[in-house]
Amino acid sequence: MLNKPDLLIISIAYLHIRMPRQLSNPAIIQITQLKHSFGKQQVIDGFDLDVRQTDIYGFLGRNGAGKTTIIEIVMGLINADEGKVQLFNSN
């Protein structure tokens, strides 16, 4: 039987719908070494992700895997314990 990760990121990169192909495709969201815990329970441990223009991502995982927590950190609703989130090259 295959081991299943707690959080699975599915990327469908370069989905172009009436958009010109770009020579440079900068990251619009950059997440580096993100860590977050609730009390003693570590829910995110060293998460990295670069989302480029025209990429589509989906977050899949079991309850408590950290999907909503990652989105809330990116939106600025909660602070990460460690790591860095950049949106459009700004902190």
Side-chain angles (χ1 to χ4, degrees):
M1 179 171 241
L2 298 175
N3 291 331
K4 296 179 183 176
D6 288 342
L7 180 63
L8 174 66
I9 305 299
I10 297 177
S11 168
I12 305 169
Y14 308 113
L15 177 65
H16 297 283
I17 302 173
R18 293 187 180 181
M19 294 184 70
R21 185 171 181 92
Q22 305 207 0
L23 295 176
S24 66
N25 194 8
I28 56 174
I29 300 172
Q30 290 180 297
I31 303 172
T32 308
Q33 287 300 300
L34 194 65
K35 293 183 180 185
H36 190 75
S37 59
F38 293 106
K40 292 183 179 181
Q41 182 173 354
Q42 184 90 27
V43 292
I44 303 169
D45 188 16
F47 181 76
D48 296 300
L49 178 67
D50 284 347
V51 177
R52 308 257 173 217
Q53 291 179 358
T54 70
D55 287 354
I56 297 173
Y57 282 81
F59 286 79
L60 304 174
R62 64 172 173 74
N63 291 346
K67 304 174 299 291
T68 302
T69 303
I70 291 170
I71 299 300
E72 288 175 343
I73 292 171
V74 169
M75 292 174 54
L77 299 175
I78 60 175
N79 293 322
D81 296 338
E82 293 181 37
K84 185 168 132 181
V85 176
Q86 287 186 299
L87 301 174
F88 301 99
N89 292 322
S90 65
N91 292 333

